[in-house]
């Protein structure tokens, strides 16, 4: 059986196709994404507001952290060593003097002028001048001048001048002194022409010869010792 299509039925079919096409185009347009817009032309997005609950929580956390830092600071302060106490009048520190070596004037040395020495001094030559020494002086040479020192030892020495000794003075054999002597303690076994002052003990040995006045605290005289002059002791003054 053959089906016949008329003009009216063709128009209805064509309208139906167009209507379906338009509906399909409309649906496709709705599904399409928005056209791309450059970033610089886009409107800025609105930042969402922070809720009051979040803000309150942040402030609470901040206060908690501040309290924790304060507690840690207090702990650090408590663990530190206490500051040393200041002393109003600290004890005096004794001054340390340098350790000088012994100065030596050899036998072929001749000096004209005064000598000042901080260390011990040995004189084997000749000195024409006074000698000032803070240490010990040993002389087996010749000194034409005074001697001032802590301790003095003369051995085969020739001295023309006064000797002032804060400690002990030893005048050994064959030593000759022309001048006055003054010391804390004196041991004499040589010859002296001058006055002698000893604060503590004077020992006159067998070869000693004194031509001058003697003032001493105590005296010890060996057999053979010779004296010309007055003798005064603190024991005889008290007696």
């Amino acid at each position: 059986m053959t089906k016949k299509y008329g003009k009216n039925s063709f128009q209805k079919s064509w309208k139906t196709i167009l209507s379906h096409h338009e509906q399909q185009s409309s649906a496709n347009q709705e599904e399409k994404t928005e056209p791309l817009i450059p970033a610089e032309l886009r409107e800025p997005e609105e930042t969402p507001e922070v809720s009051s609950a979040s803000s309150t929580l942040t402030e609470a956390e901040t206060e908690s952290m501040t309290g924790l830092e304060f507690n840690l600071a207090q702990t650090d302060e408590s663990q530190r060593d206490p500051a040393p106490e200041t002393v109003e009048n600290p004890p005096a520190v004794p001054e340390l003097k340098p350790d000088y070596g012994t100065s030596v004037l050899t036998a072929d040395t001749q000096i004209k002028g005064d000598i000042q020495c901080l260390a011990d001094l040995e004189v084997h030559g000749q000195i024409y001048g006074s000698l000032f020494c803070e240490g010990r002086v040993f002389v087996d040479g010749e000194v034409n001048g005074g001697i001032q020192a802590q301790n003095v030892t003369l051995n085969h020495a020739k001295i023309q001048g006064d000797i002032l000794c804060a400690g002990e003075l030893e005048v050994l054999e064959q030593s000759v002194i022309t001048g006055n002597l003054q010391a804390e303690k004196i041991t004499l076994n040589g010859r002296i022409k001058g006055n002698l002052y000893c604060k503590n003990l004077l020992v006159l040995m067998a070869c000693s010869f004194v031509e001058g006045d003697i003032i001493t605290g105590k005296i010890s005289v060996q057999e053979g010792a010779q004296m010309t002059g007055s003798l005064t002791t603190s024991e005889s003054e008290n007696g």
Side-chain angles (χ1 to χ4, degrees), residues 30-98:
E30 291 178 358
E31 291 178 357
K32 288 181 180 180
T33 57
E34 295 181 359
L36 296 176
I37 301 174
E40 59 272 10
L41 298 178
R42 293 181 184 178
E43 295 182 359
E45 297 182 358
E46 296 182 358
T47 304
E49 297 181 356
V50 180
S51 62
S52 60
S54 300
S55 177
T56 306
L57 180 60
T58 304
E59 293 177 358
E61 290 178 351
T62 304
E63 293 178 357
S64 177
M65 292 298 294
T66 305
L68 179 59
E69 292 176 357
F70 179 73
N71 292 334
L72 289 176
Q74 286 184 336
T75 303
D76 292 341
E77 290 291 339
S78 62
Q79 291 178 354
R80 291 182 181 177
D81 295 335
E85 297 181 358
T86 57
V87 181
E88 294 182 357
N89 297 319
V93 179
E95 183 180 358
L96 298 178
K97 294 184 179 180

Side-chain angles (χ1 to χ4, degrees), residues 103-161:
S103 301
V104 179
L105 299 179
T106 59
D108 58 346
T109 301
Q110 185 181 91
I111 296 179
K112 295 182 179 180
D114 297 340
I115 295 178
Q116 185 173 1
C117 184
L118 299 177
D120 296 343
L121 178 64
E122 294 184 4
V123 179
H124 306 290
Q126 294 179 334
I127 297 177
Y128 294 91
S130 298
L131 199 163
F132 304 92
C133 183
E134 294 186 6
R136 172 180 173 271
V137 172
F138 175 85
V139 181
D140 61 2
E142 182 178 350
V143 177
N144 293 299
I147 298 176
Q148 182 175 339
Q150 181 67 29
N151 299 299
V152 177
T153 300
L154 307 177
N155 184 26
H156 294 78
K158 183 178 181 181
I159 310 297
Q160 293 185 353

